[in-house]
Amino acid sequence: MAELYEPFLRQLRLDLDSPLPGKVAQYRMAPRPRPGAEFRDTPGPDVRHGGVLALFYPHDGRIFLPLILRPTYPGVHSGQVGFPGGGQEEADDDLTATALRETYEEIGVHPSEYAVLGRLTPLYVSASNFLVQPTVGWIDYRPDFRLDPYEVAALIEAPLLALLDPATRRVENWTLRGRQVEVPYYAVENQTIWGATAMMLSELLALPAMQLAPGCNTLPAGACA
């Protein structure tokens, strides 16, 4: 079974070690303010730093990514879907270490269980003033997830093919922080994935390796490009 995923993994490692799609891909899923509205995308000197993990794993012949539903709390990301991750602590060597530590704390998958393949383009999240570094990993099996109930309201096991399917990408007009914006999002597993998480996913899904994901040829032409 491992050989089924090897072309995908080989290309993914190569992609992450090459020039990345970057902001062009990220901003395909960015909320779009109407003309005249301000959109801050450059961090200031007071920016905080964080790391998240996009952890691929195989199950029943398909590839999945674990996402988490945040609990309801007094904060800008309350009740949203995101990658496992959080803010950097002094003991973290770098932001990949932050992502790995937070993933273990939130969903119980220890760094010794998986391989780190590389990193995506950092993304500044103005709503929370965080510069977020996404790390990409691979584990050879479906993990034994153990959720921290204080940080995770639910686990979403998102099929990669569903994320790649153009039918899951939608756009709606929302009111955010008092202004009208056009919000692209992924509708997957009865969840709405938008904002910074959707932007990071957009870059990840733009990598050439996605064309080699098992089952990609069953999607509409160009879906995995």
Side-chain angles (χ1 to χ4, degrees):
M1 184 63 73
E3 59 271 17
L4 175 66
Y5 308 106
E6 189 50 42
F8 169 79
L9 287 173
R10 185 166 53 247
Q11 184 63 50
L12 185 55
R13 290 187 181 95
L14 179 62
D15 293 345
L16 294 168
D17 197 37
S18 303
L20 294 165
K23 286 189 175 184
V24 171
Q26 291 174 342
Y27 276 70
R28 290 176 193 149
M29 295 299 289
R32 293 182 281 273
R34 292 182 176 179
E38 295 179 1
F39 187 72
R40 182 180 170 211
D41 65 353
T42 303
D46 62 340
V47 68
R48 297 180 290 174
H49 296 269
V52 300
L53 180 67
L55 181 63
F56 289 109
Y57 65 90
H59 184 60
D60 288 341
R62 296 188 295 166
I63 295 174
F64 290 80
L65 279 168
L67 301 170
I68 60 173
L69 178 65
R70 298 284 180 193
T72 300
Y73 63 95
V76 295
H77 300 301
S78 171
Q80 293 182 10
V81 175
F83 290 108
Q88 186 177 31
E89 296 184 357
E90 287 187 11
D92 298 334
D93 291 336
D94 55 24
L95 291 176
T96 290
T98 298
L100 272 55
R101 173 184 54 75
E102 287 279 350
T103 296
Y104 181 55
E105 292 174 2
E106 292 181 343
I107 63 173
V109 186
H110 195 273
S112 63
E113 296 185 68
Y114 54 88
V116 171
L117 304 181
R119 307 204 295 184
L120 294 169
T121 304
L123 176 67
Y124 176 59
V125 186
S126 60
S128 54
N129 193 33
F130 262 98
L131 184 62
V132 179
Q133 173 63 69
T135 294
V136 181
W138 170 265
I139 183 170
D140 288 327
Y141 51 87
R142 181 184 180 273
D144 179 17
F145 295 109
R146 298 177 300 280
L147 309 183
D148 178 348
Y150 295 102
E151 297 198 69
V152 181
L155 177 73
I156 298 111
E157 298 185 69
L160 177 57
L161 289 186
L163 292 166
L164 288 166
D165 189 340
T168 69
R169 285 171 246 172
R170 304 174 188 176
V171 179
E172 291 181 350
N173 289 318
W174 295 2
T175 301
L176 294 177
R177 294 185 290 280
R179 67 185 181 190
Q180 290 293 311
V181 294
E182 192 177 73
V183 179
Y185 65 94
Y186 297 98
V188 176
E189 300 295 300
N190 297 313
Q191 299 291 337
T192 297
I193 306 168
W194 68 284
T197 301
M199 293 173 70
M200 289 182 277
L201 269 173
S202 183
E203 183 181 30
L204 181 63
L205 299 177
L207 296 176
M210 301 305 129
Q211 301 174 42
L212 302 177
C216 179
N217 59 353
T218 66
L219 296 177
C224 305

